[in-house]
Structures are given as C-alpha cells and as structure tokens.
Amino acid sequence: YCNGSIDTPMGALRAANGHPEPYNVRYWEIGNEVWGDWQVGTCSADEFAERCKAFALAMKAVDSSIVILGCGHTDPEWNKPVLDIAGEQIDYLTMHLYHGFGRFGMNRDTPAEERYKAIATFPEWTREDIRQAEELIRANSKHSHVKLAVTEYNTMYFPNTVRKGLPDEHTLGAAVANAANLNEMLRRSDMVHIGSFSDLVNGWLGGCIRVGDYYADQYRGKKPGWSGQPLTVYGTPTYEVLKLYANRDIRRILPVDAECGTFAVESPKQTRIGLDAVPDLDVTAGINEDGSVITLLIVNRSLHEVKAKLDLLSFEPFGDTILHEITGDSFEDINSVFEPDRIKCVPRVVPVSAWQDGYPLRKTSVYAIEIKKEQRSGVAK
C-alpha cells in the first residue's frame, strides 16, 4: 500500500484513496513491545525473532533499499536471541526508554526532592542500557552492523496522580530529565541513530503538546470546557526542550570535560547503576558543518545554583554568546491552560567574559549556549 505501483492491488487502493504516487517509506519497524502481554501477538523472543527474520527477508526481496528495525528491549535476555536469529536481516534494534519511580522503589510518600533526584538520573540508566545492547551487538560479526533506534522515550512518574490532576510527566523536573537523556543519546550518536519522544500531541499523559483542558485522563470526571479554555494549545516544559534541541545547528559531537559537584539518590530499592555521585551538570557539545559555531548543551540537574566557567581551549570566540534558558521557580512547575507560558525557553545575549568569571546556572534548568568563531573569507578561523 505504501510503496507499491498502481498496478498492484494495494497500490491501486492507495490511488483510489487519493494518492497515486507511492509514499516511498524507507524505515519499517517490525513489532512493537512484543515482549509485553498488553500487545497483540505477544510471544517469546525466539518466536518473535523467527517472525522478524521472515518478514525482513520477504520485504527486502521486494525492495532492498528499505531499512528494517527489529523490536528490541532493555532486557538483554530478549535482545540476544533476536540478534542471534534475526540480526543479519535487521538494520536497527529498537529500545523504549521510560524512566520512573518503580526502578527505585519510590512512591508518593517519598519526599519530592528525592523523587526529583531519582528522575534526574535518566541519562545514567540510558548509558547502561546502551552499553548492554552494544555489547551484545558487537559480540558477533554477523550482526555487528546493527545500530540502535530509541523509538520511544520519556519520563513516567509512576505511580502518578492523574486522577488528582497533578501531571508530573509535564513538570520542569521531567523536562530536565528528558534533556539530560537527550544529551546522552547525542553523546552516543555513534550507536543511537534514532531518538523519538513519546508522544507528540495529547495521547497519554506524556504528550508534549497539549490541546485544551481535557486530555488523557488527567482531569477524569470533568467535562471538556470546564476551565473555560477548551481549545488552548500549549507545550509542556519538555516541548520547550525538544524545540530548543531540534533548532540547534549541530553536525558533529565534541569531547567535553565537565568538573562539577555531585548528588546522591537514596533509593529504597537496589539499583543496577551507582547513585552515590551523580554529576550536578550533564553537558554535551557539538559544532556545525563549517566549524563556525559551537553549541554547549548544559543541564543543571542539581537543586542549587551552579556557576559555570568555560574553557574553550583553542576555539577563539567572536562577539557575544547566545544563551537559551529553560527554567522556573520549582522543579514541580508546569504549563497549563491557565498558564500556558509559565515555562518557556528564553534567549539572551551573554558576554564571553561572563563565562570566564562564572555565569550562574539556575537550579533544575536547561541551557544551550551558542558560541561563534571569527569568519575570514567564508571560512572559520
């Protein structure tokens, strides 16, 4: 239906539906969370791998240019048989990265600051998930070509309080965690080629664009229009993060050495990663195609202000820097139909000298710093 000519039965149906030209879809994901009992067709890893292999072979026999994504997991016990059986036929192994209270054994009685610190460790968990998957991928040459596709990621503040109208998934704290997780995926862009936030509009509680005063079941029991603003459209703080990152001109990732304080997470449950010394700042950097602009992406995950000093080594700045800031008074701040712009990304000009003296980064906030290099005859100096 998507790619066939109008001479095929399904291509003819597509044309009859108003689109005679093929859609030319290149990326195809086989299976979605097939390991979960909530999915139609749920099965064992071995059974899925055999299905995936059969589909991939048949699809590529028709069009060898398509790209196949096979349903993966954060559990190596699922990924290993999928790679062993179907690894030669797939191009990507998918992962869904959802970060919530459950892995820490926390609940609503856990102090809010401890819950926030736990959520802010999103990149540490992602780093370990990528490491485990990469280890399996590289273990055998027949599937060492496979890369990772994070086809869903978000914070999930379970157990949440959607019945009480407190959407933790929409908080500034959630945005901080999602930004730090984006930094980790950028750092590992050698392995992670696809990163898709879940989801974009309304949908479940995590949707980053909200329409009106009634969505998912946040205000269950209330009828649409109860606020008097049923058609207000706004973005969550995480929407501001995604917009900020999407509009930066980055083509290559640069090495970064960040020296900062740390915080600890007091987890009631034993975790598979260390939580005793989590860096306050999560930092990554990139440069544009012609080498004229460096972008630093800094997430202050801590509960206190941090003064940041930059050492750009041989990169000589030209003019002032542009600072983009996403911040608020509390990590629990949200946007809503009543205050749709409470958390917004605000750009400002900051002199280079301010970074040499130490520029204050507010607690639980996200920053992008753009630093230009002097141009001579159209080439960066």
Side-chain angles (χ1 to χ4, degrees), residues 20-35:
E21 294 300 317
Y23 288 107
N24 294 319
V25 177
R26 287 194 62 230
Y27 288 77
W28 295 86
E29 181 176 354
I30 300 176
N32 177 68
E33 298 182 355
V34 187
W35 33 264

Side-chain angles (χ1 to χ4, degrees), residues 72-76 79-80 83 93-95 126-139 143 146-149 188 191-192 272:
H73 199 352
T74 53
D75 183 357
N79 290 339
K80 188 178 187 308
L83 288 167
L93 185 71
T94 68
M95 302 176 76
T126 294
R127 187 175 307 136
E128 178 61 12
D129 288 333
I130 293 172
R131 185 198 66 77
Q132 289 184 346
E134 182 180 20
E135 187 176 88
L136 289 175
I137 288 169
R138 298 194 186 283
H143 49 62
V146 172
K147 300 298 183 182
L148 295 174
R188 290 310 321 272
M191 277 299 293
V192 180
R272 58 187 171 93

Side-chain angles (χ1 to χ4, degrees), residues 76-363:
E77 295 300 314
W78 173 275
N79 290 339
K80 188 178 187 308
V82 170
L83 288 167
D84 287 345
I85 296 170
E88 288 183 273
Q89 280 70 47
I90 65 174
D91 302 290
Y92 288 91
L93 185 71
T94 68
M95 302 176 76
H96 289 180
L97 304 179
Y98 287 106
H99 184 59
F101 295 151
R103 59 192 5 166
F104 302 95
M106 295 181 177
N107 55 43
R108 282 292 159 193
D109 294 326
T110 305
E113 289 191 355
E114 285 302 316
R115 286 187 275 120
Y116 163 74
K117 288 192 292 183
I119 290 298
T121 65
F122 200 171
E124 279 72 23
W125 292 83
T126 294
R127 187 175 307 136
E128 178 61 12
D129 288 333
I130 293 172
R131 185 198 66 77
Q132 289 184 346
E134 182 180 20
E135 187 176 88
L136 289 175
I137 288 169
R138 298 194 186 283
N140 192 316
S141 60
K142 73 177 184 180
H143 49 62
S144 61
H145 65 280
V146 172
K147 300 298 183 182
L148 295 174
V150 180
T151 49
E152 294 183 26
Y153 72 89
N154 203 344
T155 56
M156 292 188 78
Y157 278 53
F158 284 135
N160 61 39
T161 54
V162 294
R163 305 293 189 266
K164 300 177 183 177
L166 298 174
D168 282 0
E169 285 87 357
H170 299 171
T171 63
L172 175 60
V176 166
N178 281 317
N181 184 59
L182 267 171
N183 281 358
E184 182 62 26
M185 290 194 290
L186 285 169
R187 284 189 289 266
R188 290 310 321 272
S189 54
D190 59 319
M191 277 299 293
V192 180
H193 289 188
I194 296 171
S196 301
F197 180 80
S198 176
D199 50 9
L200 185 63
V201 182
N202 283 11
W204 67 287
L205 260 293
C208 68
I209 298 175
R210 315 309 305 185
V211 180
D213 56 14
Y214 184 83
Y215 46 82
D217 57 355
Q218 181 191 348
Y219 297 111
R220 183 176 288 266
K222 294 188 177 183
K223 294 182 178 180
W226 65 269
S227 69
Q229 302 175 72
L231 298 180
T232 297
V233 179
Y234 64 93
T236 68
T238 291
Y239 168 80
E240 295 296 316
V241 167
L242 295 174
K243 183 171 68 172
L244 172 65
Y245 277 55
N247 287 286
R248 305 283 65 78
D249 186 5
I250 295 175
R251 289 296 175 266
R252 289 185 292 113
I253 299 301
L254 300 176
V256 173
D257 182 18
E259 298 179 5
C260 61
T262 62
F263 63 91
V265 177
E266 297 181 8
S267 176
K269 184 178 178 180
Q270 185 174 358
T271 61
R272 58 187 171 93
I273 64 169
L275 299 172
D276 294 333
V278 181
D280 289 340
L281 302 182
D282 189 290
V283 186
T284 193
I287 195 166
N288 65 345
E289 189 68 42
D290 66 6
S292 63
V293 179
I294 281 180
T295 300
L296 282 169
L297 299 166
I298 304 178
V299 183
N300 182 6
R301 300 186 284 181
S302 75
L303 291 164
H304 56 82
E305 179 183 281
V306 173
K307 284 198 172 182
K309 294 184 179 181
L310 302 183
D311 182 355
L312 300 174
L313 301 179
S314 61
F315 189 95
E316 298 179 5
F318 176 75
D320 296 324
T321 68
I322 304 298
L323 175 70
H324 304 265
E325 180 182 56
I326 300 172
T327 189
D329 295 328
S330 166
F331 58 81
E332 295 183 315
D333 283 353
I334 65 171
N335 292 338
S336 68
V337 290
F338 304 109
E339 294 182 276
D341 297 322
R342 184 173 185 176
I343 304 295
K344 296 289 286 185
C345 183
V346 178
R348 63 171 57 90
V349 175
V350 177
V352 172
S353 59
W355 296 108
Q356 297 167 345
D357 298 334
Y359 189 86
L361 304 180
R362 298 188 69 191
K363 63 182 181 180

